[in-house]
C-alpha cells in the first residue's frame, strides 16, 4: 500500500493530508484568520505563517495516520496557481522532503485539485463529467473526460465568483473573506427585494461578475449617504438579492452545459464558493431535474485543502508523471494548462 503526502500552501490555508492506498487518513487545515484585520490576504504574512505551521502540521498528520516520515512514498505539493511566496514555501518544503527521503515529487495544479475533489467523496463522479469550480480566484466550467483530459468550457471574463462575494462583503462593511458572511445575512433577507443584473454574455459558458458588483455599489450610493449605517433589514436584503444573482448566473450556465453535454451523467461542484448553501441546493435541484447525479464535496474538501492535492498527485503518479526538483511554482494558470497532461 502506497502513502501519498499532499501539501497545500497556495493562499491563506496551510494544509497537509495523507492518502494511504485509497483511503484518506488525515486532512489537516490551518486557516490564517489574522488577514481579516487587513481586509485581504497579505502575501508576505501568509508565507511566514505557512513556514511556521507546516512542520508541526506534517508531524500531526503523520501521527493521526500512524505513519513515520520514511513510510511516505510520494510527495505532492501545490505548484500553482497562487501567491508565489506562499507556493514557494510548500513546494520547497516538499522538494526538501523528496530529496532527503529519496522519494518521487509531484507538483500539483491547485485547480486540478479542486476539479477532482469530488473523488474524495463516497459517491464519486463518473467520467465524463461536468464540473463547476468556484473559488476566490477562479470561476470555471469544465468538461472532464478522464483523469488526463480536461476541457475548459467557460471562465469569468472579470471577477471570480468568490471575489465578487468578497468585494460586495467589503462594500457592506462585513470584512474579509466575505462569502460566508453574505450567506449568513442572505438567510435572513428577501432575495426578490432588489433586481440586481445578471450579465448576458456572447460566449455561452462564460461568466462576468464585475457589473453586478458595480450595481450593488451604485444601489448603496444612491440609497445611503457615506455616513449612513445601512439598516440591518436592508443589509440582509442586499446580501440575499446579490447572492441570488450570483447563484442564478452560475446555475444558468450549468444548465446550458448539462443540455449540451448530455452524455455526462455526473455534475460536480468544487472550490470555496461550493460551501454556499444556496448554490448547493439550487445546483442539486437543477441536476435532479435532468435526472443526473450531483457530487458536492464535504465542506473540508470545498475550500483549499491538501486532500485534493494528495488525490490529484496520486492520479498523476499512477499515470506516470514525475517532476524533478527544478519544477518551479507558477502564480497563474498558463494557456491550456488543463491539457498539459494529455
Ligand atoms: O477555494 P478557496 O478556499 O480559495 C481559493 O482558491 O480562492 O475559495 C475561497 C473563496 C472566498 O472568496 C470566499 O469568500 C468564498 O470562497 N466562500 C464562500 C463561502 N465560503 C467561502 N462564498 C460564498 N458562500 C460561502 N458560504
Ligand atoms: Zn482554491
Amino acid at each position: 500500500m502506497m502513502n501519498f503526502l499532499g501539501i497545500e500552501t497556495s493562499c491563506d490555508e496551510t494544509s497537509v493530508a495523507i492518502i494511504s492506498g485509497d483511503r484518506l487518513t488525515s486532512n489537516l487545515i490551518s486557516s490564517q484568520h489574522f488577514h481579516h484585520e487587513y481586509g485581504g490576504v497579505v502575501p508576505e504574512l501568509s508565507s511566514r505563517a505557512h513556514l511556521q505551521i507546516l512542520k508541526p502540521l506534517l508531524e500531526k498528520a503523520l501521527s493521526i495516520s500512524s505513519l513515520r516520515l520514511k513510510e511516505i512514498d510520494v510527495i505532492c505539493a501545490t505548484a500553482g496557481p497562487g501567491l508565489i511566496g506562499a507556493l514557494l514555501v510548500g513546494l520547497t518544503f516538499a522538494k526538501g522532503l523528496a530529496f532527503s527521503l529519496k522519494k518521487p515529487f509531484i507538483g500539483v495544479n491547485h485547480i486540478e485539485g479542486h476539479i477532482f475533489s469530488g473523488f474524495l467523496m463516497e459517491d464519486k463522479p463518473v467520467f465524463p463529467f461536468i464540473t463547476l469550480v468556484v473559488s476566490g480566484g477562479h470561476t470555471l466550467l469544465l468538461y472532464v473526460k478522464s483523469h488526463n483530459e480536461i476541457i475548459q468550457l467557460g471562465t469569468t471574463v472579470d471577477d471570480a465568483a468568490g471575489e465578487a462575494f468578497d468585494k460586495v462583503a467589503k462594500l457592506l462593511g462585513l470584512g474579509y473573506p466575505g462569502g460566508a458572511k453574505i450567506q449568513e445575512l442572505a438567510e435572513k433577507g428577501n432575495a426578490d427585494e432588489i433586481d440586481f443584473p445578471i450579465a448576458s454574455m456572447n460566449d455561452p459558458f462564460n461568466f462576468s461578475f464585475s457589473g453586478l458588483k458595480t450595481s450593488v455599489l451604485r444601489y448603496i450610493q444612491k440609497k445611503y449617504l457615506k455616513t449612513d449605517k445601512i439598516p440591518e433589514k436592508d443589509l440582509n436584503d442586499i446580501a440575499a438579492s446579490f447572492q441570488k444573482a450570483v447563484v442564478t448566473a452560475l446555475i444558468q450556465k450549468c444548465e446550458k452545459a448539462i443540455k449540451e453535454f448530455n452524455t455526462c451523467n455526473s455534475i460536480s461542484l468544487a472550490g470555496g464558493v461550493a460551501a454556499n448553501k444556496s448554490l448547493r441546493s439550487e445546483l442539486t435541484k437543477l441536476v435532479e431535474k435532468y435526472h443526473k447525479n450531483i457530487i458536492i464535496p464535504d465542506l473540508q474538501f470545498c475550500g483549499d485543502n491538501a486532500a485534493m492535492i494528495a488525490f490529484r498527485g496520486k492520479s498523476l503518479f499512477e499515470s506516470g508523471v514525475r517532476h524533478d526538483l527544478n519544477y518551479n511554482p507558477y502564480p497563474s494558470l498558463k494557456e491550456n494548462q488543463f491539457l498539459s497532461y494529455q
Side-chain angles (χ1 to χ4, degrees):
M1 194 168 63
M2 290 190 79
N3 298 313
F4 293 83
L5 175 69
I7 295 175
E8 157 64 35
T9 62
S10 67
C11 190
D12 54 351
E13 258 90 31
T14 317
S15 182
V16 175
I18 296 171
I19 293 181
S20 295
D22 283 328
R23 210 167 70 83
L24 178 69
T25 54
S26 58
N27 182 38
L28 301 176
I29 304 167
S30 166
S31 296
Q32 303 174 355
H33 297 293
F34 58 80
H35 295 294
H36 293 194
E37 61 183 283
Y38 302 98
V41 177
V42 184
E44 177 63 22
L45 296 182
S46 166
S47 311
R48 289 179 195 207
H50 286 307
L51 198 56
Q52 272 180 351
I53 195 88
L54 204 42
K55 189 168 170 274
L57 219 53
L58 170 64
E59 283 161 0
K60 200 166 162 194
L62 286 167
S63 144
I64 291 170
S65 301
S66 306
L67 288 171
R68 282 167 300 165
L69 187 55
K70 61 181 185 190
E71 289 176 286
I72 295 292
D73 298 296
V74 183
I75 294 140
C76 319
T78 303
L83 300 170
I84 194 71
L87 289 165
L88 261 172
V89 173
L91 207 65
T92 310
F93 186 85
K95 287 178 185 176
L97 285 177
F99 179 75
S100 61
L101 298 168
K102 299 188 177 58
K103 297 288 166 68
F105 156 77
I106 297 179
V108 176
N109 179 311
H110 179 83
I111 305 296
E112 290 180 9
H114 279 303
I115 291 170
F116 294 98
S117 58
F119 286 90
L120 295 163
M121 302 297 292
E122 194 81 16
D123 184 17
K124 300 180 192 326
V126 175
F127 292 114
F129 67 90
I130 295 166
T131 188
L132 175 70
V133 178
V134 270
S135 71
H138 300 273
T139 304
L140 293 160
L141 193 56
L142 304 143
Y143 174 66
V144 189
K145 278 185 164 174
S146 70
H147 279 292
N148 304 314
E149 278 178 285
I150 305 163
I151 295 162
Q152 185 177 308
L153 304 177
T155 183
T156 176
V157 297
D158 41 56
D159 292 347
E163 195 178 353
F165 269 98
D166 295 337
K167 286 181 175 170
V168 168
K170 207 166 181 176
L171 288 178
L172 299 177
L174 304 175
Y176 175 89
K181 285 178 188 142
I182 293 221
Q183 170 181 301
E184 202 184 309
L185 299 193
E187 280 167 9
K188 298 179 272 180
N190 174 8
D192 298 318
E193 186 64 34
I194 312 152
D195 224 357
F196 287 129
I198 293 162
S200 58
M201 310 291 295
N202 291 334
D203 198 300
F205 298 118
N206 275 353
F207 305 91
S208 166
F209 294 108
S210 78
L212 171 59
K213 171 200 67 196
T214 309
S215 120
V216 176
L217 175 65
R218 294 259 158 78
Y219 179 88
I220 297 170
Q221 283 173 336
K222 219 167 126 189
K223 207 161 170 201
Y224 310 98
L225 292 172
K226 255 204 162 131
T227 47
D228 276 354
K229 192 172 181 300
I230 307 176
E232 200 180 315
K233 181 188 174 308
D234 293 13
L235 266 184
N236 296 344
D237 290 345
I238 296 170
S241 304
F242 161 76
Q243 177 177 273
K244 184 183 167 197
V246 175
V247 170
T248 307
L250 295 171
I251 295 292
Q252 279 177 353
K253 301 299 160 84
C254 288
E255 182 158 23
K256 274 195 185 138
I258 293 172
K259 282 185 182 162
E260 184 154 336
F261 298 92
N262 65 2
T263 52
C264 291
N265 286 318
S266 305
I267 320 297
S268 76
L269 181 63
V273 184
N276 186 271
K277 284 187 202 160
S278 167
L279 178 59
R280 292 167 90 92
S281 78
E282 291 303 316
L283 190 64
T284 304
K285 269 192 242 161
L286 174 78
V287 171
E288 285 173 355
K289 182 172 122 189
Y290 286 90
H291 306 288
K292 310 274 185 190
N293 193 21
I294 177 90
I295 294 101
I296 303 183
D298 287 348
L299 288 185
Q300 63 161 326
F301 306 131
C302 285
D304 293 343
N305 68 88
M308 68 181 192
I309 301 304
F311 179 83
R312 182 60 182 153
K314 177 175 181 285
S315 76
L316 291 173
F317 179 82
E318 286 164 356
S319 344
V321 174
R322 307 284 183 273
H323 289 146
D324 65 33
L325 298 182
N326 292 324
Y327 195 80
N328 282 322
Y330 43 91
S332 49
L333 277 183
K334 294 172 205 149
E335 193 74 15
N336 284 335
Q337 187 98 42
F338 297 128
L339 308 175
S340 59
Y341 297 106
Q342 270 184 8

